[in-house]
């Protein structure tokens, strides 16, 4: 968790609320485990408990749009950067065919 907060800053990647008081940091998988996402740092962002729970298995692209619809300011650039580093990590380590497809489709969506 410390590594992720150092990398991304000490606020929820989805709603932007700083982690303090009642807003607790949780580790969230961009590619959900049920979609083949690995438990690697490259697949993890820091999210508050509420966003982690509310997102469920929604894709990062859909959830970013939902956050914006709610008037929040999600850190789109951190999501894209993390997906890009996951794409590179999968390419280097091999395997994870399902996660790779998921990342590719999300990056296409987020870059369009
Ligand atoms: Zn949040």
């Amino acid at each position: 968790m410390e590594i992720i907060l150092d990398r991304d800053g000490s606020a929820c990647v989805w709603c932007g609320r700083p982690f303090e008081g009642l807003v607790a940091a949780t580790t969230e998988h961009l590619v959900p485990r049920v979609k083949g996402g690995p438990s690697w740092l490259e697949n993890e962002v820091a999210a508050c408990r509420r966003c982690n729970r509310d997102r469920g298995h929604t894709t990062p692209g859909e959830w970013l749009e939902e956050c914006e619809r709610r008037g929040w300011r999600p850190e789109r650039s951190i999501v894209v950067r993390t997906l890009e580093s996951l794409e590179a990590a999968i390419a280097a380590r091999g395997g994870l065919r399902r996660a790779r497809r998921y990342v590719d489709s999300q990056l296409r969506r987020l870059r369009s």
Side-chain angles (χ1 to χ4, degrees):
M1 176 57 78
E2 300 259 309
I3 296 172
I4 295 170
L5 296 179
D6 284 347
R7 184 189 67 192
D8 298 342
S10 191
C12 175
V13 72
W14 305 120
C15 69
R17 292 189 298 168
F19 298 125
E20 59 191 16
L22 293 175
V23 182
T26 67
T27 301
E28 176 166 320
H29 291 77
L30 283 180
V31 181
R33 270 181 283 215
V34 295
K35 300 291 183 186
S39 290
W40 297 348
L41 277 177
E42 294 89 344
N43 190 31
E44 292 171 352
V45 292
C48 73
R49 206 173 294 285
R50 176 192 66 187
C51 288
N52 195 332
R53 182 194 61 227
D54 285 4
R55 181 190 153 205
H57 294 152
T58 308
T59 65
E62 285 171 324
W63 182 243
L64 272 175
E65 283 169 19
E66 171 61 19
C67 292
E68 285 162 357
R69 200 185 61 73
R70 294 181 183 191
W72 301 342
R73 289 193 172 76
E75 292 283 358
R76 183 176 281 262
S77 62
I78 290 177
V79 173
V80 170
R81 188 181 72 207
T82 307
L83 286 168
E84 285 170 345
S85 78
L86 177 57
E87 182 180 49
I90 293 173
R93 296 167 197 170
L96 297 179
R97 196 176 292 252
R98 283 176 74 215
R100 187 189 305 236
R101 273 200 303 270
Y102 189 102
V103 170
D104 286 349
S105 75
Q106 287 300 300
L107 282 172
R108 266 199 307 277
R109 176 180 182 145
L110 289 166
R111 285 167 176 156
S112 64

